[in-house]
Amino acid sequence: MEGDLNLTLQIVLTVLAGISAQVVAAYLKVPSIVFLLLFGIALGISGLQILHPQQLGEGLEVIVALSVAIILFEGGLNLSLRQLGQVSGSLRNLVTIGTLITLAGAGMAAHWLSEFPWTIAFLYGSLVVVTGPTVVGPLIKQVQVERSVATLLEGEGVLIDPVGAILAVVVLETIFKANVPVEADILEILLGLVLRLGTGLGVGILGGWLLSLFLKWADFLSEEISNLLVLACVWGVFEGSQLLIGESGLMATVAMGIVLNSSAIPEERLLRRFKGKLTILCVSVLFILLAADLSVASIVALGWGSVLTVLTLMLVVRPLSVWLCTLSSSLSWQQKCFVAWIAPRGIVSASVASLFAILLTERGINGGDAIKALVFLTIMMTVFLQGLTAKALALALGITSARTTGAVIIGCTPLGRLIAALFQSQGESVVLIDTDLEACQAAKDQDLPVFHSSGLDPNILEEAGINSMGTFLALTSNGEVNLVLAQHAQEEFNPPRVLVVMPTPTPDTQSSLKNHKGIQIFMDQQRFKTWNQYIKDDQVQLGRLNFSDTDLAQQQARIQALIEGGELLPLMMRRNGNLQLIKNTETWAAGDEMFYLLHDPRPALLKRLSGGRAVSRLALANLPEIEEMPLLPNKALEP
């Protein structure tokens, strides 16, 4: 009973430590793996000696295997084949040619700099060919780089994990077989790799297809049961593939996730959310357990040669691999530099290295503890150095999504056409989409690019160039439809900025917005309706205002009073050279340039007096009404 209690305490402490590390990392806005490693080492055999993962025995291997299966399935589920198609050439090269370059480069560095035997050196090389979605994904979300760069790094992380894990197992099996000619070694490695990848791919595709058919048919299942059914099937497919041929299960889970993603299963959004939460738990538990079992003394014993080995991997092997794999791509040199720097190693490297250390020791082969120590040193150095500098590098290279320009606007309403024209006048790309043929014709009459189609059609959104646009704006006259359009665009394409026009949020819509944190309110529905009518009646003027240091407070108060009085509508803001739509809760700073609409009923009066149409007043100007207007008394704000 005491032993059972001790194991229970170990698991509880592991979960508490893992989730605490996630909380601290979220608060400090750094990659979670940084604190997962620190907490694990601090609580493990090299620290306070509270956690002893080896007490779990074979259960540790089971936890690692099933957790990695979930992690890779979730990675496959989040891969968009449509977005991968844009970087398919570079991605294919990184997963194939890049794997071989990393295997060879890391192996030679480990042999010459860390003085590993050739066999152990190339085993190390096979362990560090992977990057990993558990590290790359959160890092990309935090840094918010351009979509093409994010897709390439995320796709590489998911697809290279099973390839690297299988490659490492095949290399280990070859090491165990003594007195085999080198030619036979290479042939056996290639044959084993192809056989395992092919088996896993076939099992995963079949399993994913069958499960998608069942989920589409079984509309009687609740959300909870559907999610648990998918979890059971993931583990079933993983173990089934493992039984057919060892180490093919990881590829099967990735393939299954990709198939489900492309099958348009019911409530896919809820499934992704459920699997995302499971993945966070699995990553937290695994890193704490594996780091707790790490001997810091064994890392120190490697000497400076090991540090040089990792630096060679980061500064020579990775850049060379990326340069060769992206030679014919459309990526800019800034994007290539970022991809070359970002290759943090993650949970697959850690878990497989821990397993290999045990197997090598059992076979009486020296180097098990050393290779585990060098792999963990690689993880720590890549995560700390690359993870903590990624955001600064992206900003320096100018490839953050915040700098992505252009907009896709759903809804050819008067306000939608005016915003599109304003984007166009500032030299930025813009595309309108609407199902109303008459509204589309009005946009064409203004020489605005427009698609007569539904904003829910992913093919139309892709043709409109949403993958290269910085903003998605849902601007139809129906607030509920706008929210659905925004959710769909965010899940399918994840543009940097997603804004909607919607009614004052209710508890239901607040919950929906909370679940889609990237969606922001552009304005409320009533204000949208009012200003559309003003534009139709030609009762607006278009102006701009530069906020200065000298009277910033007065300018802010003046603008806020006009907004609350319904006399002014902020549209866009240029900040640090970037043009963006102004959110409902925007604040202004010195140096900002604001574009706005001012309500002015005089054109309507002129038209009535003259019996004709007044000259349009939608020409950009620094209006004296705004620049020089004194603060309005409170009664001016009354309706």
Side-chain angles (χ1 to χ4, degrees):
M1 183 69 183
E2 185 177 345
D4 293 341
L5 182 61
N6 189 37
L7 287 178
T8 303
L9 183 61
Q10 292 283 307
I11 294 297
V12 170
L13 289 175
T14 299
V15 174
L16 284 173
I19 300 305
S20 298
Q22 294 280 1
V23 171
V24 174
Y27 177 74
L28 297 177
K29 296 182 179 179
V30 299
S32 60
I33 190 176
V34 171
F35 287 99
L36 289 171
L37 287 171
L38 291 177
F39 281 30
I41 292 172
L43 296 172
I45 60 175
S46 295
L48 301 174
Q49 298 186 2
I50 296 174
L51 291 178
H52 300 277
Q54 291 305 323
Q55 291 183 1
L56 297 174
E58 294 183 359
L60 180 59
E61 293 182 30
V62 175
I63 292 173
V64 169
L66 295 181
S67 297
V68 171
I70 292 175
I71 292 167
L72 291 184
F73 169 76
E74 197 254 349
L77 188 65
N78 288 325
L79 280 184
S80 169
L81 294 180
R82 185 176 291 106
Q83 292 179 12
L84 287 179
Q86 297 186 336
V87 292
S88 58
S90 299
L91 181 59
R92 180 194 62 241
N93 293 341
L94 283 173
V95 176
T96 53
I97 300 171
T99 297
L100 297 177
I101 293 173
T102 305
L103 173 65
M108 288 187 285
H111 176 71
W112 288 325
L113 299 175
S114 295
E115 299 181 352
F116 279 19
W118 278 114
T119 52
I120 301 299
F122 278 107
L123 184 58
Y124 164 76
S126 69
L127 288 167
V128 295
V129 300
V130 301
T131 52
T134 58
V135 188
V136 173
L139 184 61
I140 292 302
K141 288 179 182 177
Q142 180 197 356
V143 176
Q144 294 184 328
V145 293
E146 293 173 351
R147 189 64 246 166
S148 58
V149 176
T151 299
L152 181 58
L153 287 171
E154 289 170 345
E156 180 195 17
V158 172
L159 295 178
I160 209 170
D161 262 9
V163 174
I166 293 171
L167 176 63
V169 169
V170 175
V171 172
L172 181 69
E173 289 179 350
T174 306
I175 292 173
F176 287 160
K177 296 176 182 178
N179 302 320
V180 179
V182 175
E183 295 80 4
D185 280 354
I186 297 174
L187 183 61
E188 189 168 349
I189 289 174
L190 291 176
L191 183 61
L193 185 63
V194 171
L195 190 59
R196 285 172 168 84
L197 288 175
T199 302
L201 195 63
V203 173
I205 291 174
L206 179 62
W209 177 67
L210 291 175
L211 179 59
S212 67
L213 289 180
F214 181 79
L215 289 174
K216 291 176 182 178
W217 172 78
D219 54 4
F220 54 88
L221 292 179
S222 65
E223 171 197 332
E224 294 79 8
I225 297 299
S226 294
N227 290 338
L228 292 175
L229 173 65
V230 173
L231 174 62
C233 290
V234 168
W235 281 339
V237 166
F238 170 76
E239 189 58 31
S241 187
Q242 290 283 90
L243 291 174
L244 287 176
I245 181 169
E247 308 310 323
S248 64
L250 296 183
M251 187 70 243
T253 58
V254 172
M256 185 179 183
I258 293 174
V259 170
L260 285 182
N261 180 17
S262 59
S263 299
I265 59 173
E267 302 295 346
E268 182 180 330
R269 173 174 51 87
L270 300 176
L271 175 63
R272 288 183 183 178
R273 196 181 307 157
F274 173 69
K275 289 297 181 289
K277 293 173 182 176
L278 271 182
T279 295
I280 292 174
L281 177 61
C282 291
V283 170
S284 303
V285 169
L286 284 187
F287 266 115
I288 293 292
L289 286 174
L290 296 176
D293 196 39
L294 178 66
S295 170
V296 175
S298 64
I299 295 179
V300 175
L302 293 174
W304 286 104
S306 61
V307 176
L308 292 175
T309 298
V310 180
L311 288 176
T312 301
L313 179 66
M314 296 169 61
L315 302 176
V316 178
V317 177
R318 174 66 176 182
L320 176 63
S321 172
V322 170
W323 177 67
L324 291 173
C325 294
T326 59
L327 269 178
S328 59
S329 73
S330 59
L331 295 175
S332 66
W333 71 265
Q334 295 96 331
Q335 293 171 325
K336 291 179 182 179
C337 284
F338 188 81
V339 173
W341 176 241
I342 301 300
R345 272 59 183 182
I347 195 65
V348 171
S349 291
S351 58
V352 177
S354 300
L355 175 62
F356 282 10
I358 298 172
L359 295 177
L360 288 169
T361 303
E362 290 176 351
R363 294 292 187 105
I365 300 175
N366 293 328
D369 290 336
I371 199 171
K372 176 183 175 182
L374 185 54
V375 168
F376 269 88
L377 178 64
T378 305
I379 292 171
M380 287 188 284
M381 287 183 64
T382 55
V383 167
F384 278 79
L385 293 177
Q386 297 172 355
L388 297 178
T389 60
K391 191 162 190 175
L393 179 62
L395 288 171
L397 293 173
I399 59 169
T400 58
S401 59
R403 299 192 181 186
T404 308
T405 60
V408 172
I409 301 174
I410 312 298
C412 293
T413 57
L415 184 58
R417 298 197 301 272
L418 188 147
I419 292 173
L422 187 53
F423 264 111
Q424 201 174 61
S425 71
Q426 298 302 304
E428 298 207 4
S429 301
V430 66
V431 176
L432 288 156
I433 300 175
D434 204 318
T435 55
D436 187 335
L437 186 58
E438 186 176 343
C440 289
Q441 187 58 50
K444 287 181 181 178
D445 293 342
Q446 294 179 241
D447 295 324
L448 296 171
V450 62
F451 286 89
H452 178 226
S453 184
S454 168
L456 290 172
D457 188 339
N459 295 318
I460 292 295
L461 289 174
E462 187 174 18
E463 191 177 347
I466 191 171
N467 285 311
S468 61
M469 297 289 195
T471 301
F472 176 89
L473 176 61
L475 207 62
T476 75
S477 57
N478 189 316
E480 287 74 17
V481 170
N482 289 336
L483 187 56
V484 172
L485 288 165
Q487 290 172 350
H488 177 265
Q490 188 185 51
E491 291 165 6
E492 190 75 22
F493 299 97
N494 194 26
R497 295 172 293 278
V498 181
L499 294 98
V500 297
V501 168
M502 59 182 295
T504 303
T506 63
D508 287 341
T509 53
Q510 282 281 22
S511 174
S512 185
L513 286 173
K514 195 173 291 186
N515 292 329
H516 293 77
K517 294 183 179 179
I519 298 177
Q520 298 170 311
I521 298 177
F522 179 51
M523 71 177 71
D524 66 72
Q525 195 77 30
Q526 185 56 47
R527 191 152 61 127
F528 171 72
K529 182 179 178 181
T530 299
W531 282 93
N532 262 324
Q533 191 60 49
Y534 287 162
I535 296 171
K536 285 181 180 178
D537 295 341
D538 199 13
Q539 294 183 349
V540 294
Q541 293 187 80
L542 181 62
R544 81 173 93 206
L545 174 66
N546 292 295
F547 289 90
S548 62
D549 287 312
T550 54
D551 59 346
L552 178 62
Q554 283 189 334
Q555 285 180 314
Q556 289 176 330
R558 191 179 300 127
I559 292 298
Q560 194 58 42
L562 288 170
I563 292 172
E564 292 175 2
E567 297 300 312
L568 184 141
L569 178 67
L571 294 177
M572 296 183 188
M573 173 178 63
R574 192 183 299 280
R575 174 177 290 171
N576 299 324
N578 299 320
L579 187 66
Q580 298 181 13
L581 290 170
I582 295 178
K583 302 185 289 291
N584 199 33
T585 56
E586 195 68 71
T587 56
W588 298 280
D592 290 346
E593 180 184 22
M594 181 182 74
F595 300 87
Y596 60 87
L597 281 180
L598 183 69
H599 178 218
D600 185 354
R602 284 177 295 174
L605 177 61
L606 290 174
K607 283 186 290 186
R608 286 198 297 270
L609 291 175
S610 63
R613 180 171 178 78
V615 177
S616 173
R617 310 186 73 179
L618 294 182
L620 271 175
N622 293 316
L623 300 179
E625 292 96 327
I626 300 299
E627 299 282 7
E628 302 169 6
M629 185 181 296
L631 288 177
L632 296 176
N634 289 336
K635 64 181 181 180
L637 302 181
E638 296 174 2

